[in-house]
Amino acid sequence: MTVYFCHSHSRSLKFVRHLFSVFCLLILAAPTAWSKENLQEVMKRRGLTQDDILAAAKTYTPTGGRDEFLVFASGGQSGQVIVYGIPSMRILKYIGVFTPEPWQGYGFEENSKRVLEQGRIDGRDITWGDTHHPALSETNGDYDGQYLFINDKANPRLAVIDLHDFETKQIVVSPIYQAQHGGAFVSPNTEYVMEAAQYATPLGGDYVPLDQFKEKYRGGVTYWKFDREKGRLDPAQSFSIELPPYSQDLSDFGKLASDGWSFTNSFCTELYVGGIEKGRQPFEAGCSAKDTDYMHVINWRKAEALYKAGKVTKVKGHPVITMETAVKEGILFLIPEPKSPHGVDVTPDGKFITVSGKLDGHTFVYSFEKIQAAIAKKEFVETDPYGIPILDMKKVLQTQVDLGLGPLHTQYDSVDGVAYTSLYVDSMVARWNYRTGKLIDRIPVHYNIGHLMTMHGDTVKPRGKYLVALNKLAIDRFNPVGPLHPQNHQLIDITDSNKMTLLYDMPLPLGEPHYAVAIEANLVKPVMNYKAGTDSRTGTISPHKTMAGSERIERKGKKVEVWATVIRSHITPEIIEVEEDDEVTIHLTSLERAQDIVHGFTVNKYNVHASIEPGETTTVKFKADKPGVYPYYCTEFCSALHLEMQGYFLVKPKVKKDKK
Ligand code: CUK
Ligand code: CUA
């Protein structure tokens, strides 16, 4: 029919003819809504290749489809965790961890405020976090889908997320560090969650001048006991090992062959303290003067026994095994590692440990068997300034591989011996074999990759299939959105042993996700609703559980307490009237059982918000310090009568007695 228009040659005004021809061109140039395009036409219009179509087919998930793997990515500076699916790369959830998260009511209702309050430091609310490393709980060295842990580097904290409802349940603060990077990493049966300090400080954080750096500043590694029954870390059963003031970087637990041991790399073993403004060399030079740094090799099972035997000193009430004890008892050793190392990753069989030197350009593979042999024979080349025995690198090294520039982190494949290492400077992923020390192939990524992740890639049983490159820069990959670009997670197909293939670019607009972990989706079994009256943050039935018909308002002096229920489509009660300066507590119970029917609750202008999920009981609290009329309402479009799910909160002004 369009053709008719174009050829219907009227002898009317030139202008009209011109309009017609423009219209005609438009129709020919772009298919209109009413013409069905076939695949070839779409490919032509969008400039897609056969490979693009294949990549799309490998990632596209039709409506209602599910992902094979779930990713838990650090939310970086957002202090949150990002959950997305593989292969679709669809974001499924942001979990509030160290930072208030309004949708989930996290930090805006009392129950979750109590979790955030656990993260207070020196009485101060810290409402952000620099999250780096998420870790999934493990059973026999493989993910079990029960818990997720994540660290906060800036404020030395560790959080526990229960995957039965994807909520943060606990935050613990390190009693002895001022910074914390080498965590979270879990032991093969999640007995402990490990974290190492990063920037050396006096343990406990007291003031000591920098000229006493060597004597008084320290690093360390903490083993937080995890109580799986309770689903909480137990500070009363946790302990640390004092380490030299080398900047401890990343850690990993041994497994299978190396079970019972843990490994922590370090940089700045030069003990440099900076001072560019005083005419000294800058940190980056002072901290990379030497050709090697040290990996700490720790027998944590023996350390646990020492702790249980009371061979500790207390720092701020926290048990610490001193370096002296650690050396005397033979639980701590050092191994030289490549210059400015980053990343330490134990192979699935636990037999090898890989460490990459950012400035060395080599990835080192250490043999755990050789390490054990050297320790048994006491083959030490020297001790460090703190008396810690140093193993002969040449004797414990399995192989040393040149993968490219700026190697960082390593993950493993389901194929025996195959590893993947990120190359920050080269912006590539290298596939190689840690048994043979051979580079297999490399794929460019865009750009500047930090961590990388394969499916179950840090467990005893990697699943292969996919790899995600967690790139620091996106530069030209997406539509520009100002100077702060999104990060770019690139999905890479690793099923072809000849060639890795890039499948998808996912912009991540939340924080800098350092590390991520991916688990088979069917291993995670979250609930769809709570047992009636559950306080989700404690997992217990709330004393304020309220059933239909027992809603009430009670006053005790200046305290007004409300027990309310929510269900489609009303909040009971609907009118709450208080007096100026009353302390108001509103407990809300959802009477819903249906999946995905969530109500939100706010009292306008009082900065409270709750997400009341099916079966949940939660509480908001505030002081009615400003007389007036405040609507309250449900903030989720929960039903056709959602807008009517409202009420009035009235604050009567005080009667001014002294005015006649
Ligand atoms: S770190 Cu960020 S790229 Cu904190 Cu694991 Cu290596
Ligand atoms: Cu409940 Cu809207």
Side-chain angles (χ1 to χ4, degrees), residues 566-571 592 597-601 612 633-639 641-646:
V566 291
I567 190 164
R568 282 159 291 171
S569 299
H570 50 268
I571 303 166
E592 300 286 354
I597 300 299
V598 172
H599 302 286
F601 178 83
I612 319 138
Y633 70 99
C634 168
T635 63
E636 286 275 336
F637 209 111
C638 55
S639 60
L641 292 169
H642 150 77
L643 294 174
E644 291 81 355
M645 201 165 167
Q646 58 169 332

Side-chain angles (χ1 to χ4, degrees), residues 132-147:
H132 278 233
H133 306 110
L136 285 158
S137 58
E138 293 180 9
T139 299
N140 298 325
D142 197 9
Y143 302 151
D144 54 35
Q146 291 182 5
Y147 295 94

Side-chain angles (χ1 to χ4, degrees), residues 257-445:
S258 51
D259 191 19
W261 292 72
S262 70
F263 311 91
T264 301
N265 71 350
S266 65
F267 60 94
C268 208
T269 53
E270 292 84 356
L271 305 178
Y272 192 64
V273 298
I276 191 171
E277 65 290 338
K278 293 180 175 141
R280 307 182 56 187
Q281 55 182 340
F283 258 117
E284 74 261 33
C287 280
S288 46
K290 285 174 34 181
D291 278 341
T292 52
D293 288 291
Y294 295 125
M295 172 160 68
H296 305 70
V297 177
I298 296 171
N299 184 337
W300 69 262
R301 264 211 226 284
K302 211 163 160 193
E304 178 190 44
L306 293 176
Y307 154 64
K308 286 188 174 159
K311 294 194 175 173
V312 291
T313 55
K314 293 273 174 91
V315 179
K316 301 262 147 132
H318 174 77
V320 176
I321 299 172
T322 63
M323 285 192 283
E324 205 192 331
T325 304
V327 170
K328 201 172 77 199
E329 300 284 347
I331 62 161
L332 172 62
F333 308 91
L334 298 173
I335 306 178
E337 49 183 12
K339 190 169 186 162
S340 194
H342 193 50
V344 52
D345 298 281
V346 178
T347 57
D349 58 11
K351 288 184 177 165
F352 303 98
I353 303 119
T354 59
V355 175
S356 291
K358 295 199 297 288
L359 300 180
D360 184 289
H362 281 92
T363 295
F364 284 29
V365 181
Y366 299 93
S367 155
F368 183 71
E369 207 182 309
K370 290 181 183 176
I371 292 172
Q372 289 305 300
I375 290 173
K377 282 189 256 165
K378 294 200 168 24
E379 269 182 348
F380 309 128
V381 282
E382 54 176 331
T383 56
D384 83 334
Y386 301 91
I388 306 169
I390 303 173
L391 275 62
D392 186 342
M393 182 170 74
K394 281 175 261 102
K395 293 218 165 119
V396 298
L397 208 56
Q398 180 72 16
T399 181
Q400 184 181 338
V401 201
D402 181 4
L403 298 172
L405 295 179
L408 299 182
H409 301 286
T410 297
Q411 291 265 290
Y412 301 97
D413 201 330
S414 52
V415 180
D416 181 64
V418 174
Y420 300 85
T421 297
S422 51
L423 306 173
Y424 179 86
V425 177
D426 273 344
S427 286
M428 288 189 141
V429 169
R431 171 151 62 179
W432 58 290
N433 189 306
Y434 60 84
R435 294 194 195 282
T436 62
K438 289 258 155 37
L439 176 67
I440 303 168
D441 80 301
R442 307 201 298 174
I443 182 171
V445 293

Side-chain angles (χ1 to χ4, degrees), residues 32-71:
T32 57
W34 56 78
S35 76
K36 188 169 156 59
E37 282 180 290
N38 64 30
L39 181 61
Q40 268 67 37
E41 285 162 344
V42 175
M43 284 173 70
K44 197 167 167 223
R45 175 167 59 83
R46 300 197 64 213
L48 303 175
T49 64
Q50 288 285 348
D51 285 345
D52 294 335
I53 298 302
L54 192 58
K58 284 181 179 180
T59 55
Y60 176 71
T61 305
T63 181
R66 296 289 194 276
D67 278 301
E68 190 180 352
F69 295 96
L70 279 185
V71 177

Side-chain angles (χ1 to χ4, degrees), residues 132-133 153 181 250 342 408-409 450-451 472 512 514-515:
H132 278 233
H133 306 110
K153 170 172 167 171
H181 184 249
L250 276 142
H342 193 50
L408 299 182
H409 301 286
H451 275 270
K472 301 295 179 190
E512 180 196 342
H514 287 260
Y515 185 45

Side-chain angles (χ1 to χ4, degrees), residues 31-191:
T32 57
W34 56 78
S35 76
K36 188 169 156 59
E37 282 180 290
N38 64 30
L39 181 61
Q40 268 67 37
E41 285 162 344
V42 175
M43 284 173 70
K44 197 167 167 223
R45 175 167 59 83
R46 300 197 64 213
L48 303 175
T49 64
Q50 288 285 348
D51 285 345
D52 294 335
I53 298 302
L54 192 58
K58 284 181 179 180
T59 55
Y60 176 71
T61 305
T63 181
R66 296 289 194 276
D67 278 301
E68 190 180 352
F69 295 96
L70 279 185
V71 177
F72 296 89
S74 138
Q77 296 89 332
S78 77
Q80 303 179 352
V81 163
I82 307 160
V83 186
Y84 64 84
I86 283 182
S88 77
M89 305 301 269
R90 295 177 300 184
I91 295 178
L92 300 169
K93 195 163 203 167
Y94 294 140
I95 305 173
V97 184
F98 297 109
T99 309
E101 202 291 322
W103 189 25
Q104 294 151 29
Y106 189 58
F108 300 91
E109 36 94 74
E110 294 304 301
N111 311 48
S112 57
K113 263 191 208 167
R114 269 175 229 134
V115 177
L116 278 167
E117 279 164 9
Q118 295 168 16
R120 276 189 180 158
I121 297 178
D122 301 328
R124 188 182 294 136
D125 282 323
I126 311 254
T127 53
W128 81 288
D130 187 12
T131 61
H132 278 233
H133 306 110
L136 285 158
S137 58
E138 293 180 9
T139 299
N140 298 325
D142 197 9
Y143 302 151
D144 54 35
Q146 291 182 5
Y147 295 94
L148 182 79
F149 308 92
I150 192 158
N151 74 317
D152 173 3
K153 170 172 167 171
N155 319 288
R157 303 183 292 182
L158 191 59
V160 180
I161 295 150
D162 191 336
L163 294 182
H164 106 285
D165 61 358
F166 285 51
E167 279 196 351
T168 303
K169 305 299 180 185
Q170 184 186 25
I171 296 174
V172 293
V173 180
S174 168
I176 58 171
Y177 304 142
Q178 302 290 86
Q180 184 270 113
H181 184 249
F185 297 95
V186 305
S187 58
N189 281 300
T190 323
E191 300 96 331

Side-chain angles (χ1 to χ4, degrees), residues 199-224:
Y199 305 116
T201 56
L203 291 186
D206 292 342
Y207 172 77
V208 176
L210 273 167
D211 58 17
Q212 294 173 40
F213 187 85
K214 192 179 164 196
E215 299 75 34
K216 300 276 179 64
Y217 282 56
R218 290 293 178 263
V221 51
T222 300
Y223 300 88
W224 289 95

Side-chain angles (χ1 to χ4, degrees), residues 547-616:
M547 299 288 42
S550 57
E551 299 90 349
R552 61 203 185 277
I553 303 174
E554 286 177 10
R555 166 182 289 283
K556 270 189 203 131
K558 291 296 286 174
K559 290 190 168 131
V560 176
E561 204 163 352
V562 182
W563 286 267
T565 61
V566 291
I567 190 164
R568 282 159 291 171
S569 299
H570 50 268
I571 303 166
T572 311
E574 294 186 338
I575 298 164
I576 303 171
E577 193 158 344
V578 304
E579 283 162 17
E580 185 180 351
D581 287 341
D582 277 350
E583 271 175 45
V584 181
T585 306
I586 306 172
H587 308 291
L588 299 135
T589 296
S590 169
L591 303 175
E592 300 286 354
R593 299 313 297 161
Q595 181 171 322
D596 202 12
I597 300 299
V598 172
H599 302 286
F601 178 83
T602 186
V603 179
N604 291 11
K605 294 190 169 181
Y606 275 103
N607 198 36
V608 290
H609 184 241
S611 166
I612 319 138
E613 286 139 39
E616 192 178 355

